[in-house]
Amino acid sequence: VHIGYAELADTSMISSGYVIADTLINLSDTAQQVFIIVTPYVQGGGISRCPGLPDTAIVWLEPTSKVVLVPQSDTICDNEPVDITVTSPTGSTLPVLFSYNVIYDADSIGYTLAGADTNLPKGYVIQDVLDNLSDTAQLVQFIVTPYTIDQFGNIRCTGINDTSDIWVEPTPQLVLVPQYDTLCNNEFTNIEIISVTKPTHPVRFMYTTLADYPDSVIVTYLGDTTGLVNGEFIIDQIENLSDTSQRIRYIVTPYTVDDFGNIRCSG
C-alpha cells in the first residue's frame, strides 16, 4: 500500500457541481498514480437507478521530498572546504531540487560560498570554505531542504530537510618559553611549550633543531621529538665542539590528529 486516503464526504450521495477534496497521502518515495472514478446515476424513491457512463480523473501524487547528507557529521581543518554530498531517495514526476542555508557564529567563522545554494541537483557536492577565526573548534551546520517545482520553475512541494554538522578545527598555535636563551657547554635546554588552541582533539607538537654549524655541536635528545603535549618541556643536552659560541634553533610545529592518531591539521 503506497497511498493513504481520507474521504471528506459520503462518496455515494454527491450532486452536480460537487468538488471532490479528499486527502491523499503518498506513503512511498516515488510518485503514485491515483484513479478517481465517478459514476452518474439517478435517485428515485431513495433507490439508485439507471447508472450512467463513468469518467475517470487521474491524479499524480508526488512523494514528500527527502534528502540525505553524506557525511552526517565531519571534522575539517581550518580554511579547508567541506565535502558534503546531497543525496535523495525521492523519485517524483519532476526532478527534486535542493537549497541550503548555513548556521554559524559570524564572530568565529569566516564563510565563503563556493557555488550556488539553491536549485541544486541530486548528487551535488557542497564545497564551501570555512575559516575558523578563533582558538577553539567551531560548529557549522548545513541545513539542506528538498523541493519540487512546477512547469514554470516555481517551488511546488517542499520536503523534509536534513542537517550535516561540521566541526572546524582552529589553526593550532603555540608560544615557546623562553624565546631565546644562553647555555653553558653540555647544559640542558628548558623550553616550555604553551598553546591556547582547543581543537576537538588535543593539540600535539613536534620539533626539529637547526644549527648554524652542524659540525660544531652535538644535540642529545633526551625525550621524544613528536607527540609532545601542551605544557611539556624540551630538555636536551647540547655540546659545543668548537671554541666559539654556537646558535641552535628549536623549531616546534603544532598539529592535531584524527581518531587513528594520524596527523590531521598542522599549525
Side-chain angles (χ1 to χ4, degrees):
V1 178
H2 296 300
I3 293 291
Y5 175 65
E7 293 180 357
L8 299 183
D10 185 353
T11 61
S12 64
M13 298 290 290
I14 59 178
S15 59
S16 178
Y18 180 82
V19 177
I20 300 174
D22 299 339
T23 300
L24 301 175
I25 303 173
N26 191 337
L27 305 176
S28 74
D29 287 321
T30 58
Q32 297 294 321
Q33 195 175 43
V34 178
F35 296 88
I36 299 176
I37 304 170
V38 179
T39 303
Y41 63 91
V42 294
Q43 185 82 14
I47 300 173
S48 299
R49 304 173 62 192
C50 306
L53 297 176
D55 193 13
T56 301
I58 301 174
V59 177
W60 279 98
L61 184 61
E62 299 282 30
T64 298
S65 302
K66 297 177 182 177
V67 59
V68 179
L69 301 180
V70 181
Q72 288 286 292
S73 62
D74 198 9
T75 303
I76 64 174
C77 298
D78 192 13
N79 281 303
E80 276 191 351
V82 299
D83 189 26
I84 304 171
T85 302
V86 180
T87 68
S88 175
T90 303
S92 53
T93 59
L94 294 169
V96 62
L97 299 175
F98 309 88
S99 62
Y100 71 92
N101 64 305
V102 186
I103 298 177
Y104 60 94
D105 181 358
D107 293 331
S108 300
I109 288 290
Y111 172 71
T112 302
L113 180 67
D117 58 4
T118 189
N119 291 333
L120 307 177
K122 188 184 300 185
Y124 183 83
V125 180
I126 300 173
Q127 293 184 313
D128 300 340
V129 178
L130 303 176
D131 179 12
N132 190 338
L133 307 175
S134 74
D135 289 318
T136 59
Q138 297 292 323
L139 175 63
V140 179
Q141 293 182 300
F142 286 78
I143 303 173
V144 180
T145 301
Y147 59 91
T148 57
I149 57 175
D150 61 20
Q151 62 268 36
F152 303 106
N154 302 310
I155 293 178
R156 184 179 193 178
C157 306
T158 301
I160 302 170
N161 60 32
D162 192 22
T163 301
S164 180
D165 292 336
I166 305 297
W167 284 96
V168 187
E169 299 283 35
T171 296
Q173 301 182 43
L174 80 156
V175 175
L176 301 180
V177 180
Q179 288 288 294
Y180 61 90
D181 200 2
T182 302
L183 305 178
C184 297
N185 193 21
N186 284 306
E187 278 193 341
F188 300 89
T189 62
N190 191 44
I191 304 170
E192 184 179 9
I193 302 172
I194 299 174
S195 176
V196 297
T197 304
K198 295 180 180 179
T200 58
H201 290 75
V203 64
R204 295 288 184 261
F205 308 89
M206 57 184 171
Y207 74 92
T208 59
T209 58
L210 181 62
D212 290 347
Y213 299 97
D215 293 338
S216 298
V217 295
I218 297 175
V219 178
T220 302
Y221 301 101
L222 300 180
D224 295 327
T225 61
T226 187
L228 307 179
V229 299
N230 189 24
E232 190 162 348
F233 287 82
I234 298 174
I235 301 176
D236 296 337
Q237 187 177 31
I238 302 177
E239 180 181 0
N240 188 343
L241 303 177
S242 74
D243 292 324
T244 59
S245 59
Q246 299 293 324
R247 185 179 69 165
I248 299 175
R249 284 177 285 178
Y250 275 75
I251 304 169
V252 182
T253 301
Y255 62 92
T256 60
V257 297
D258 59 22
D259 293 332
F260 306 102
N262 303 309
I263 293 177
R264 185 179 211 169
C265 308
S266 295

